[in-house]
Amino acid sequence: MPASKPLRPKATLVVRNATLATCDRGASDAGLIPGGAVAVDERRIVWVGRDRELDGAVEREGARVIDARGGLVTPGLVDSHTHLVFAGERAGEFALRCSGRSYLDTAISGGGISVTTRATQAASDAALLESAVARARRLLAQGVTTVEVKSGYGLTVETELRLLRIIHELAHTLWREVTIVPTFLAHAIPPERQEDREAYVAELCDRLLPIIAKEKLAASCDVFLEEGAFTAEEARLLLEAAAARGLVPRLHADQLVASRGAELAAQTGCASADHLEFIDDDGVAALAGGGVVAGLLPLSTLSLGSERYAPARRLLAAGVPISLASNLNPGSAMSENVGLVLSIACLKLRLAPAEALVAYTAGGARSLRRGDLGRLAPGCEADLVLWGCSSVEHLAWHMATNHALAVVKRGRVVHEALPGAAVDCR
């Protein structure tokens, strides 16, 4: 008997006539497929290839067809570092920085995180949720389909649990539109506990982390290792306690001063070490050896008025995987502008546009340990963006402009741009 032909996958959605960037070929290769197509069955990608091969490869009767008309199609962006649940503003603090005052000086004198903590604690749950939904949807409208969201503006056991439950409600509210990845952030020592630091850290380890793990309120635990926040030994205790409870460890490292945070991240098995403006060669080697993702957050450096950006080229040369994220927060990166992140990453971190795109897709997914996101490949979640331009380079060159025409989440169009969007760029 003749061999039976393999069954063709059935598609519910097809995007064709596209310039695909699959982002699945390594840190410096966007995986371009000119004249490409993607087929989706419900929420998963089932086929990626040349448009001319689509009809023979996929059963698409009844499928919705999106004609990209030569436009760029990429995976949904993965914003792997945000602090988008907060209340209040810090525009006055921004004005002080513009006049020369440093972020660290402001924090030490009672400003900084403490300002946001007070405003967040005073806000209602409904107000916090409403503002977080609005920020997440602004990111979605620019092509972000996965957002990591940190707590950290509560500082006590009770208020951190409150914020994590709000993040849980945020994920429930937006589940059709955006994947929310919750993270507990040990952000700072409350002023009233500065003389009782050891007991405060023990309280987080012995009271808070067990509740977070039991109620599955977070996937990760992040710690801010910095002058004025947690010491290296305190961070180690927290990260080890979190890992023992099944939470993925992460670290804010080497942002404002050299703290040997990169080495600690590698020693404690962190998924990522983020910021890294003051990392040295030993830290770079530690990240490379430990397989830790370097989370690059250039909008913070820009917002703080610094010229000391993370050494992206050294990290890549050493084989360190990198991610790119907005770090959306009220103190050092009050922006949801994805285009600006890509442009600054190229201009100041010296990333090639393809490297920046891969870092904001597959790199972010790797940071979150979500291999099913951030790539256009069979089996991956069907998160896609159709852009109003035809090249990866254009996304970074046409600065601070939203080119997202359509956003697909789990195989369904969840956002379409209004008339007047950047369709004139092909």
Side-chain angles (χ1 to χ4, degrees):
M1 294 179 60
S4 60
K5 293 183 179 179
L7 293 176
R8 295 182 298 168
K10 181 175 174 56
T12 53
L13 173 72
V14 171
V15 181
R16 60 184 317 173
N17 299 321
T19 300
L20 298 184
T22 60
C23 299
D24 66 343
R25 299 182 187 170
S28 298
D29 188 345
L32 292 180
I33 303 178
V38 180
V40 172
D41 183 12
E42 296 300 338
R43 59 180 291 171
R44 297 287 173 185
I45 296 172
V46 294
W47 184 86
V48 178
R50 299 282 184 180
D51 189 89
R52 63 176 179 263
E53 300 168 356
L54 175 66
D55 290 339
V58 176
E59 173 56 59
R60 60 186 186 88
E61 183 178 355
R64 177 176 179 177
V65 177
I66 297 176
D67 186 351
R69 297 171 41 236
L72 179 68
V73 173
T74 73
L77 303 184
V78 179
D79 200 328
S80 55
H81 187 127
T82 82
H83 306 250
L84 60 75
V85 177
F86 64 87
E89 68 162 50
R90 282 155 66 181
E93 183 181 312
F94 176 82
L96 288 174
R97 281 206 304 277
C98 293
S99 66
R101 190 172 189 179
S102 75
Y103 179 87
L104 194 56
D105 285 345
T106 300
I108 291 172
S109 64
I113 292 168
S114 297
V115 173
T116 302
T117 298
R118 291 191 293 270
T120 301
Q121 291 176 348
S124 69
D125 289 6
L128 290 171
L129 178 62
E130 181 181 18
S131 61
V133 167
R135 293 174 190 126
R137 283 184 170 147
R138 283 196 287 272
L139 289 170
L140 167 66
Q142 297 182 79
V144 176
T145 54
T146 300
V147 185
E148 186 258 16
V149 181
K150 303 180 192 295
S151 67
Y153 293 124
L155 303 190
T156 68
V157 169
E158 293 73 19
T159 52
E160 286 298 317
L161 288 172
R162 176 193 177 216
L163 292 181
L164 288 168
R165 288 171 180 140
I166 291 171
I167 295 171
H168 180 81
E169 183 63 25
L170 176 69
H172 178 75
T173 301
L174 295 177
W175 73 272
R176 292 181 182 273
E177 304 166 69
V178 183
T179 295
I180 300 295
V181 180
T183 294
F184 162 60
L185 171 61
H187 212 170
I189 306 283
E192 66 275 13
R193 300 296 297 271
Q194 288 293 334
E195 303 303 317
D196 190 26
R197 296 175 68 100
E198 184 176 346
Y200 177 72
V201 171
E203 190 173 292
L204 297 183
C205 291
D206 300 336
R207 282 191 57 207
L208 179 55
L209 287 173
I211 297 172
I212 292 172
K214 181 179 180 180
E215 297 187 20
K216 295 181 169 54
L217 292 174
S220 304
C221 171
D222 196 348
V223 182
F224 189 18
L225 169 56
E226 191 59 73
E227 184 178 336
F230 289 92
T231 67
E233 188 51 39
E234 290 165 346
R236 182 187 295 277
L237 290 170
L238 285 161
L239 292 172
E240 290 177 348
R245 296 284 179 177
L247 300 176
V248 175
R250 321 177 77 79
L251 193 65
H252 282 57
D254 301 314
Q255 179 188 7
L256 304 175
V257 297
S259 61
R260 316 245 52 96
E263 289 92 324
L264 179 62
Q267 293 163 9
T268 53
C270 284
S272 70
D274 294 2
H275 284 293
L276 304 175
E277 289 87 342
F278 281 82
I279 192 173
D280 59 17
D281 288 342
D282 289 340
V284 171
L287 295 185
V292 182
V293 177
L296 308 181
L297 311 171
L299 285 192
S300 283
T301 309
L302 177 71
S303 178
L304 294 178
S306 172
E307 284 297 324
R308 182 149 185 161
Y309 287 83
R313 296 254 52 96
R314 276 200 290 138
L315 290 161
L316 283 172
V320 179
I322 65 170
S323 64
L324 189 62
S326 68
N327 191 25
L328 171 59
N329 78 85
S332 65
M334 192 56 209
S335 175
E336 297 96 333
N337 195 303
V338 165
L340 184 59
V341 177
L342 291 169
S343 297
I344 299 301
C346 294
L347 292 169
K348 293 298 188 179
L349 300 183
R350 315 309 297 177
L351 293 178
E355 292 169 334
L357 177 63
V358 173
Y360 219 149
T361 52
R366 180 168 179 172
S367 172
L368 298 179
R369 295 186 175 171
R370 287 292 304 269
D372 59 330
L373 302 174
R375 299 178 298 126
L376 300 183
C380 286
E381 197 153 280
D383 297 351
L384 304 88
V385 186
L386 168 60
W387 305 93
C389 59
S390 57
S391 75
V392 172
E393 291 79 10
H394 191 107
L395 287 177
W397 167 72
H398 195 168
M399 290 187 285
T401 297
N402 182 12
H403 293 86
L405 297 184
V407 182
V408 174
K409 180 65 185 176
R410 299 191 189 98
R412 288 168 173 77
V413 177
V414 294
H415 175 80
E416 295 183 85
L418 296 172
V423 296
D424 57 328
C425 300
R426 292 178 183 165

